[in-house]
Amino acid sequence: MKKGVTYEFHHTGIPTLVVRDGEIFSSNAGMYTSDNDGNFRIQWHRFTSDSPLHPLLKTLPHVAFKVSNLAEAIADEEVILGPYEPIDGYFVAIINDAGVPVELIQTTLSDEEIWGRAKRGEGSLYRPENSLKADGSAATLIQH
């Protein structure tokens, strides 16, 4: 955690092999995503065998935090995905924090807007023209 950057819990993502109702597929990430039915923000992620995402993301749960400044939060960190804009108005980078993936998010969207756009499949994560590259970066990058 960086001094001068605020961190607020947002959600937890958990890899799974179980097919779940309501999954949304991203061919760019080779990933199916579904929300948990409970009261807390938990997402399930199921990956295709050829998913280009980093092995840490495909094998370990991750915690996600909203941050006040994404560029500062990822400075001098090992970035394993992004930074990119998977949902319009929602900027993300995932770092390797001593062997654990941690998602960092910068957005002005409300949680209702974020989850609504995700459920509707809105954003570059779902657009073929913004395919993820082999190194896990994406065509839509946040400007530093």
Side-chain angles (χ1 to χ4, degrees), residues 9-13 41-43 45 62-64 90 103 105 115:
F9 174 79
H10 189 261
H11 71 271
T12 299
R41 299 288 190 190
I42 298 172
Q43 289 186 322
H45 299 293
H62 73 270
V63 64
Y90 182 86
E103 181 176 348
I105 302 159
W115 296 98

Side-chain angles (χ1 to χ4, degrees), residues 10-123:
H10 189 261
H11 71 271
T12 299
I14 304 172
T16 185
L17 299 174
V18 176
V19 176
R20 297 182 179 276
D21 289 337
E23 290 181 328
I24 299 171
F25 181 65
S26 167
S27 60
N28 296 326
M31 177 179 72
Y32 296 86
T33 299
S34 58
D35 295 334
N36 193 52
D37 290 330
N39 295 318
F40 293 92
R41 299 288 190 190
I42 298 172
Q43 289 186 322
W44 298 99
H45 299 293
R46 187 169 59 87
F47 301 92
T48 61
S49 61
D50 61 347
S51 170
L53 297 180
H54 193 281
L56 287 178
L57 286 171
K58 296 188 283 187
T59 57
L60 293 175
H62 73 270
V63 64
F65 296 94
K66 280 189 193 179
V67 297
S68 56
N69 186 312
L70 185 58
E72 286 184 29
I74 65 172
D76 301 321
E77 299 289 348
E78 179 189 350
V79 178
I80 61 173
L81 180 62
Y84 76 117
E85 187 178 11
I87 299 168
D88 298 340
Y90 182 86
F91 300 92
V92 172
I94 301 178
I95 62 170
N96 176 356
D97 184 46
V100 178
V102 175
E103 181 176 348
L104 302 171
I105 302 159
Q106 184 175 338
T107 188
T108 58
L109 299 174
S110 69
D111 280 348
E112 291 75 23
E113 290 171 312
I114 293 166
W115 296 98
R117 289 179 185 188
K119 284 181 188 251
R120 292 187 300 271
E122 296 175 7

